[in-house]
Amino acid sequence: EQGMRQVKIFLLVAFVILLIACINYVNLVTARSTRRSKEVSVRKVVGANKGHLFYQFLTESSVVFLISMIISIALIFTFMPLYNDLSGKQMVFSLFDAKIWFLFGCTMIVILGAAGIYPALMLSKFNPALALKGILPGLGQNNGFRRLLVVLQFSCSIVLIISTLIIGKQLTYIRNADLGFAKESVFTFSAFNFSKNYEAIRDELQRQPGVLGVTTASQSVMNLMSSTGDFNWDGKPANMNNFIINQLSVDRNFPEVMDMKLVDGKGFTGTAADSAHFIINETALKQTGLQNPIGKSVIFHDQPGTIVGVVKDFHFKDMKTKIEPCILFINPHWGWNTIYIKTTGKEAKAAVNTVEKLWKRYNADYEFNYKFMDDTFDEMYRTDIRSGKLFNIFASIAILLSCLGLFGLVTFTAETKVKEIGIRKTLGASVNHIILLISKDFLRLVGISFLVAFPLAWWMMGKWLENYVYRTEMQVWVFMVAGLTAFLIAALTVCGKALKAAQSNPVKSLRSE
């Protein structure tokens, strides 16, 4: 389910990037319509009808698509190893796969429909008598449609930037979250024959340099998979017969070695009486409604016992799962299958080597496989981490494409105003005035796109964060940073080209007059 959700997200992102590229094409073709008006008019005068012109411009769009497809194939072969490394996949791109050509065909139809047909219709409808005089009714003069497309593409870019920031913020929140136990410098491995000689091995290891503590449990504390409804206490309400509690059999020193904090009680005593002692977490205490739980009698798997501690809630599943009731108890017969070695960090390698020597003595028939809990934690969120990296790349591509479109439009605007700029400079207009003349409309459109992108991004990322029970907050500064970043990039793109136009020699632009 999670993998399918990721596929849908990246399909949406790919569609957004394709949409931005199509918008660029439509904007640039329609913006340059004045340059082709006389060509179209001459063709019409010599007998070409709208159908001929429509197919001519559609064919031109098809040629552009085919050239782009060839370039994209080369880029796919080049960057496929990098993509596989980032995504953790082993995808193979083959031109002999019929699905690839079906996808190319569908993409061509969609792109020609989105970016080819409209310019072809618009250019084929020019009135030759008016066009030869330089008069272009509709899009030739009214650029309202192009303005709308600029707003749309920059809105998409800003949404991707905001998404990238929030995904990164959530991953940082997860990595820095207090799990309720120590995972730093702790490595684990399956016990095998260690469980038969556990106490002797534990005592020997704890004397070794670099080892701060040794403990064991029936399962991994980061992915607890065992639960039961066989937990009763005096005064248990009848409507709580379906009460489920997660269970973990541990060594007596497990809470201490794992740095779990007791909020009530003293925990296990290290005596034989511990076989009838239980520690519950805060959630279990809250849901059972027990008052003054220490010393209270309970029955766990038909065994009478006493609650001796309440441990602070700890995350024994991922951050997408709400913390549930949990009980810690001591029963070696449940199978202490996982060994935990807490190291000093600096001497972690020495501790691993020490354990490996003992492993060869007790488990010679098995390969020694260990894993630090930090690495296990990262693996739990590897998909999200990879998604964050890919989002960074996609957001960069989107903003780059948007800026390329803006650069093209500003270039065209500067070209159409070359004589106006020359006259204004001759009459004393400053460079700043010329830059403002060319840039203000485009930067205003980028500003309008904020009003579209912010609420859309707030809604989309709110939905994404719902996947996590424990999540970061969407703060205003994230949106301000994203908006400022997009605006600065757009301003550099627009004003950079405008500055070049403003610094041009007015004599050259007015020489033909």
Side-chain angles (χ1 to χ4, degrees):
E1 182 181 353
Q2 183 179 2
M4 194 62 200
R5 188 186 300 117
Q6 296 291 343
V7 170
K8 290 179 180 178
I9 289 174
F10 285 115
L11 277 176
L12 178 61
V13 173
F15 174 77
V16 168
I17 292 177
L18 189 60
L19 175 63
I20 292 174
C22 290
I23 288 173
N24 282 349
Y25 184 77
V26 172
N27 271 337
L28 295 176
V29 169
T30 55
R32 297 177 66 87
S33 59
T34 54
R35 290 196 167 189
R36 305 202 63 177
S37 59
K38 293 183 180 179
E39 173 198 344
V40 173
S41 301
V42 171
R43 287 180 179 274
K44 283 193 170 185
V45 169
V46 297
N49 58 34
K50 289 182 180 180
H52 293 145
L53 294 170
F54 175 82
Y55 286 116
Q56 174 196 339
F57 295 124
L58 195 61
T59 301
E60 290 178 2
S61 298
S62 301
V63 171
V64 171
F65 174 84
L66 290 174
I67 294 173
S68 302
M69 185 178 72
I70 293 172
I71 295 174
S72 68
I73 291 173
L75 291 175
I76 290 172
F77 278 115
T78 302
F79 291 106
M80 183 61 77
L82 177 61
Y83 175 80
N84 284 337
D85 183 58
L86 284 173
S87 63
K89 308 292 183 183
Q90 292 298 323
M91 298 181 65
V92 177
F93 179 75
S94 173
L95 292 177
F96 296 101
D97 189 345
K99 294 179 181 178
I100 297 295
W101 292 105
F102 175 76
L103 180 62
F104 280 146
C106 292
T107 305
M108 182 174 184
I109 293 172
V110 171
I111 291 179
L112 291 180
I117 292 179
Y118 177 77
L121 286 173
M122 187 273 297
L123 292 172
S124 64
K125 287 183 178 180
F126 285 159
N127 185 319
L130 296 177
L132 287 172
K133 295 178 182 179
I135 303 173
L136 298 174
L139 276 176
Q141 292 177 336
N142 181 9
N143 57 7
F145 184 68
R146 289 202 302 275
R147 291 170 181 265
L148 176 63
L149 294 181
V150 169
V151 170
L152 178 59
Q153 70 176 177
F154 255 90
S155 297
C156 293
S157 298
I158 294 169
V159 168
L160 284 178
I161 293 174
I162 293 173
S163 301
T164 299
L165 291 175
I166 292 179
I167 289 173
K169 195 166 179 284
Q170 173 64 17
L171 293 176
T172 301
Y173 173 84
I174 289 173
R175 285 184 165 181
N176 296 331
D178 181 11
L179 299 182
F181 57 85
K183 63 180 175 63
E184 293 78 13
S185 304
V186 177
F187 67 93
T188 67
F189 53 90
S190 297
F192 290 104
N193 292 329
F194 269 25
S195 57
K196 300 176 183 177
N197 306 276
Y198 168 69
E199 292 186 359
I201 292 172
R202 178 193 62 195
D203 295 340
E204 182 176 351
L205 284 174
Q206 287 183 151
R207 293 192 295 267
Q208 302 300 319
V211 177
L212 294 179
V214 180
T215 190
T216 186
S218 56
Q219 296 183 60
S220 168
V221 70
M222 300 184 76
N223 189 25
L224 194 54
M225 302 295 291
S226 179
S227 59
T228 182
D230 195 359
F231 181 73
N232 298 285
W233 62 94
D234 291 338
K236 180 179 181 181
N239 60 355
M240 292 191 69
N241 288 331
N242 59 349
F243 177 77
I244 302 296
I245 190 168
N246 293 271
Q247 53 192 356
L248 183 65
S249 174
V250 299
D251 187 14
R252 57 179 172 77
N253 66 346
F254 187 84
E256 177 185 355
V257 172
M258 300 305 294
D259 288 340
M260 292 180 168
K261 296 179 176 57
L262 290 174
V263 296
D264 198 3
K266 295 183 179 180
F268 300 125
T269 61
T271 64
D274 279 339
S275 60
H277 289 167
F278 307 111
I279 297 176
I280 61 175
N281 67 348
E282 292 175 305
T283 298
L285 176 63
K286 181 179 179 180
Q287 292 191 12
T288 56
L290 289 170
Q291 301 295 325
N292 301 317
I294 304 304
K296 288 289 179 70
S297 297
V298 296
I299 299 176
F300 179 66
H301 288 297
D302 298 326
Q303 177 187 351
T306 305
I307 296 177
V308 295
V310 177
V311 68
K312 182 179 178 181
D313 276 342
F314 59 96
H315 292 274
F316 49 85
K317 293 182 180 178
D318 60 33
M319 291 284 190
K320 298 178 181 179
T321 305
K322 188 175 182 180
I323 293 178
E324 301 169 342
C326 184
I327 185 171
L328 305 180
F329 61 100
I330 297 177
N331 190 337
H333 299 293
W334 275 62
W336 285 344
N337 302 313
T338 305
I339 306 292
Y340 298 78
I341 309 292
K342 185 178 181 181
T343 73
T344 59
K346 292 182 180 179
E347 299 175 290
K349 185 62 179 177
V352 170
N353 292 336
T354 299
V355 173
E356 190 169 10
K357 291 178 183 178
L358 283 174
W359 184 269
K360 291 178 180 178
R361 185 193 312 171
Y362 291 96
N363 288 317
D365 295 335
Y366 303 98
E367 185 178 355
F368 178 54
N369 293 315
Y370 68 93
K371 184 169 290 186
F372 278 89
M373 293 183 69
D374 276 334
D375 296 332
T376 302
F377 181 79
D378 287 342
E379 285 181 1
M380 293 175 65
Y381 302 99
R382 183 170 293 172
T383 300
D384 294 323
I385 292 171
R386 286 169 174 164
S387 297
K389 291 179 180 178
L390 290 173
F391 248 105
N392 288 334
I393 296 173
F394 290 144
S396 300
I397 293 173
I399 196 69
L400 174 63
L401 291 176
S402 298
C403 288
L404 286 175
L406 267 186
F407 184 82
L409 288 177
V410 174
T411 301
F412 175 78
T413 301
E415 289 176 359
T416 58
K417 293 178 179 290
V418 63
K419 289 185 172 60
E420 178 186 347
I421 293 171
I423 293 171
R424 287 179 179 272
K425 291 189 70 174
T426 303
L427 295 177
S430 65
V431 172
N432 290 339
H433 178 80
I434 300 300
I435 293 175
L436 183 62
L437 171 71
I438 299 174
S439 306
K440 62 180 180 179
D441 287 340
F442 292 107
L443 295 181
R444 187 183 298 119
L445 295 178
V446 175
I448 293 173
S449 66
F450 296 164
L451 303 179
V452 178
F454 285 178
L456 180 60
W458 185 280
W459 175 78
M460 288 178 59
M461 295 315 297
K463 289 290 185 182
W464 182 79
L465 286 173
E466 287 179 0
N467 294 321
Y468 296 87
V469 175
Y470 304 93
R471 53 183 178 262
T472 186
E473 296 180 357
M474 288 192 292
Q475 297 172 316
V476 175
W477 70 263
V478 174
F479 293 80
M480 299 306 295
V481 168
L484 183 61
T485 301
F487 187 82
L488 287 177
I489 294 174
L492 289 173
T493 303
V494 173
C495 295
K497 183 61 185 179
L499 176 62
K500 185 177 180 180
Q503 291 177 335
S504 62
N505 190 342
V507 176
K508 293 182 180 180
S509 61
L510 298 174
R511 184 176 296 167
S512 61
E513 296 298 327

